[in-house]
Amino acid sequence: MIEGSAGRDGFTGQAPGVVVIGGGIAGLAAATVLAERGAHVTLYERQDSLGGRLAGWPTTLADGTTATMSRGFHAFFRQYYNLRGLLRRVDPGLDSLTKLPDYPLRHSAGMYDSFARVPRTPPLSAVGFVALSPTFGWRDLARMDPRAALPLLDVRVPDVYERFDDVSAHDFLTRIRFPAAARHLAFEVFSRSFFADPRELSAAELVLMFHIYFLGSSEGLLFDVPDEPFPQALWDPLGRYLEGHGVRVRTGSAVESVTPADDGGLYVTANGRTVRHDAVVLALDTGGLRNLVTASPELGDADWRARVGTLRNAPAFLVSRLWLDRPVAADRPGFLGTSGYGPLDNISVLNRWEGEAARWARRNHGSVVELHAYAVAPGADRDVVQAAAIEQLHHVYPEAGEAGIVDVRHEWRADCPLFPVGGYRSRPGVRTPHPSVVLAGDLVRTDLPVALMERAATSGFLAANALLERWNVRGQTLWTVPPTGRSALLRGLAALGAG
């Protein structure tokens, strides 16, 4: 637990005006806490809806029905304490989230792993994975380099970045002689969840993920998913909650520049109109942050602006959603991670859990299937990748190849942050050279054991806390998995490899 700043419960008298730029998870988290404390918040989002990279939008299918399209499946892991805390504002019991029974992984060579039966209490979680996994046996464990692998047993944040940020995830796994089969099915799932090739991803991020899901928490690798599309289940209710707290939500509005004022405030220009505010939260994606900083030449100092300029996007990824005229086999899981099937990284059967997809499937005696292809090579022919992903679906689920495609949507994006080898030191943190400007987002350095959507939510709360601290107002309490290994025995073993 990380206590928020101490102080008053909320603003009394004249409250400051704060602009939050970006309506994704990070911006929503920051706006929520600031509004709850009584600040006058204006939230700008360039897109027409909230949610950022988890937004959704309506599309009309070939059969005339309306469906909600998005950038696809996201796993709401149970270690996402701060994200779940945000969602509980409008859904105290998290009833909008549905538990999936397993996290299965399948390799084209016939190997299959499952996390459903793996114990969730460290260190039994790691031992159980070895004992139950057909791709990682005790002989594989004996072949590993124990001294090189020992640091996995006691991951310390932020020390993990000092030790492993200059090594790629691929090279780290090679160094410890992690078995190839298990590498594809286990660790590669983590690296590709960052939309990155393991050869480009910092090993520190990979090791941190091992800590979060195996040895640092008791929730394991099981997760939940929204039971309706993202807008209906999550963001529309949260948007109404914010408006109920006085937040002016401005979707479809892009901020053009931010200029520091002589009195410590900031001038924010949006839609051609400039207004002074007391503080700004920059909760943008990588490209949006770079562009806004470029358009705001007086913002920050030279070093900070250079650090923002070094931020990179991960390679492009594909989300293909198919509305099929017949169901896939009844025993197909709601989600399946894949490896060795060309560009295909996972398959979701949306009608297993999402209400809108289930209703369409029932009406049409069909199914709604989604495919993901991560870290697509630059210059790849997108039509070829799309066709290859669908072809591989037919190999994994042959009955899908016999179905007719009522409609299909292909979404390409390349706006996720890349965490490259050696990039941690230059990554900007929540605080900036201007005390009234803070950063939030999964691209931000937090020095906490969080990743992906949870890093976005946590950074949003941290950004709000940094501003509230200046105004002597109580901040948001944060929860994370422990920043060090939980087992004294494993910490002792890890110390043997630290020398």
Side-chain angles (χ1 to χ4, degrees):
M1 184 179 74
I2 302 168
E3 294 281 358
S5 57
R8 300 172 289 163
D9 287 341
F11 292 102
T12 56
Q14 186 172 1
V18 184
V19 166
V20 177
I21 306 175
I25 291 173
L28 291 169
T32 295
V33 175
L34 291 166
E36 288 172 343
R37 301 299 187 266
H40 299 302
V41 179
T42 303
L43 173 65
Y44 287 99
E45 167 53 47
R46 179 173 55 88
Q47 301 298 329
D48 292 331
S49 58
L50 299 174
R53 298 202 297 273
L54 271 72
W57 56 93
T59 186
T60 302
L61 303 180
D63 64 358
T65 60
T66 299
T68 306
M69 187 59 194
S70 71
R71 296 152 53 102
F73 166 87
H74 280 72
F76 287 68
F77 286 99
R78 295 165 196 171
Q79 296 92 334
Y80 290 178
Y81 312 126
N82 297 314
L83 174 58
R84 287 168 175 261
L86 174 65
L87 299 179
R88 287 184 191 277
R89 261 71 171 193
V90 294
D91 183 9
L94 295 180
D95 298 324
S96 62
L97 297 182
T98 296
K99 295 176 172 60
L100 289 192
D102 197 3
Y103 188 161
L105 308 170
R106 174 173 166 176
H107 194 278
S108 59
M111 298 169 291
Y112 190 92
D113 259 322
S114 166
F115 291 99
R117 295 184 300 137
V118 174
R120 284 183 271 172
T121 302
L124 296 177
S125 49
V127 174
F129 176 71
V130 174
L132 296 171
S133 171
T135 61
F136 192 151
W138 297 108
R139 291 182 180 179
D140 295 312
L141 187 64
R143 295 189 190 103
M144 290 178 62
D145 182 336
R147 189 174 184 84
L150 282 175
L152 287 171
L153 304 181
D154 182 21
V155 175
R156 295 174 178 267
V157 182
D159 177 68
V160 64
Y161 291 100
E162 296 298 324
R163 301 186 64 183
F164 298 111
D165 193 51
D166 292 327
V167 182
S168 75
H170 174 273
D171 289 348
F172 173 77
L173 293 176
T174 300
R175 176 191 300 174
I176 67 175
R177 297 199 290 270
F178 199 83
R183 179 187 306 191
H184 285 297
L185 282 180
F187 274 98
E188 196 162 296
V189 169
F190 294 150
S191 65
R192 297 188 76 81
S193 68
F194 283 100
F195 306 95
D197 186 293
R199 291 173 176 79
E200 291 218 35
L201 177 69
S202 164
E205 294 291 346
L206 185 75
V207 173
L208 178 62
M209 296 284 270
F210 181 84
H211 171 71
I212 292 172
Y213 296 113
F214 277 104
L215 294 182
S217 70
S218 296
E219 288 83 3
L221 266 169
L222 300 182
F223 55 82
D224 306 325
V225 289
D227 61 5
E228 292 291 347
F230 298 133
Q232 295 91 311
L234 308 175
W235 314 132
D236 292 348
L238 191 55
R240 291 191 292 270
Y241 177 85
L242 291 175
E243 289 175 338
H245 281 74
V247 177
R248 294 174 289 275
V249 178
R250 303 286 188 256
T251 55
S253 298
V255 171
E256 298 152 22
S257 65
V258 177
T259 303
D262 292 338
D263 62 0
L266 300 119
Y267 293 107
V268 176
T269 300
N271 301 323
R273 181 168 176 259
T274 300
V275 178
R276 184 200 173 279
H277 298 272
D278 296 298
V280 170
V281 179
L282 302 175
L284 298 148
D285 62 24
T286 304
L289 178 62
R290 285 199 312 261
N291 291 339
L292 183 58
V293 169
T294 299
S296 308
E298 297 177 43
L299 194 61
D301 57 24
D303 176 69
W304 180 80
R305 294 174 64 85
R307 293 168 71 183
V308 170
T310 64
L311 296 173
R312 296 168 54 195
N313 288 330
F317 66 94
L318 165 68
V319 174
S320 295
R321 190 173 297 180
L322 296 82
W323 287 263
L324 304 177
D325 67 1
R326 67 184 65 184
V328 297
D331 61 348
R332 301 305 189 193
F335 174 84
L336 176 70
T338 60
S339 184
Y341 290 97
L344 184 64
D345 283 292
N346 59 59
I347 304 170
S348 300
V349 182
L350 265 68
N351 52 284
R352 291 283 189 269
W353 76 80
E354 186 187 273
E356 181 183 274
R359 292 187 290 273
W360 186 93
R362 283 196 299 270
R363 288 194 306 268
N364 296 275
H365 307 287
S367 55
V368 184
V369 178
E370 185 177 278
L371 316 176
H372 286 200
Y374 301 141
V376 176
D381 186 308
R382 293 190 170 184
D383 290 336
V384 171
V385 175
Q386 291 167 186
I390 294 175
E391 179 184 0
Q392 293 300 327
L393 165 67
H394 299 163
H395 287 302
V396 183
Y397 295 166
E399 70 275 15
E402 301 171 2
I405 298 177
V406 176
D407 211 337
V408 62
R409 295 289 184 274
H410 300 292
E411 292 292 333
W412 285 89
R413 294 291 189 274
D415 53 4
C416 296
L418 179 67
F419 302 104
V421 177
Y424 178 76
R425 296 179 188 88
S426 62
R427 194 185 312 169
V430 167
R431 298 178 186 270
T432 78
H434 196 299
S436 297
V437 179
V438 289
L439 293 186
D442 58 349
L443 58 85
V444 173
R445 170 176 171 168
T446 67
D447 292 346
L448 295 173
V450 289
L452 303 171
M453 291 191 293
E454 179 68 352
R455 181 177 287 159
T458 302
S459 68
F461 287 148
L462 287 170
N465 285 357
L467 295 178
L468 293 171
E469 182 180 18
R470 296 185 59 236
W471 296 315
N472 191 34
V473 173
R474 176 177 54 85
Q476 171 74 37
T477 298
L478 301 175
W479 295 85
T480 73
V481 302
T484 62
R486 292 179 50 167
S487 165
L489 172 62
L490 296 183
R491 289 198 302 270
L493 290 173
L496 299 177

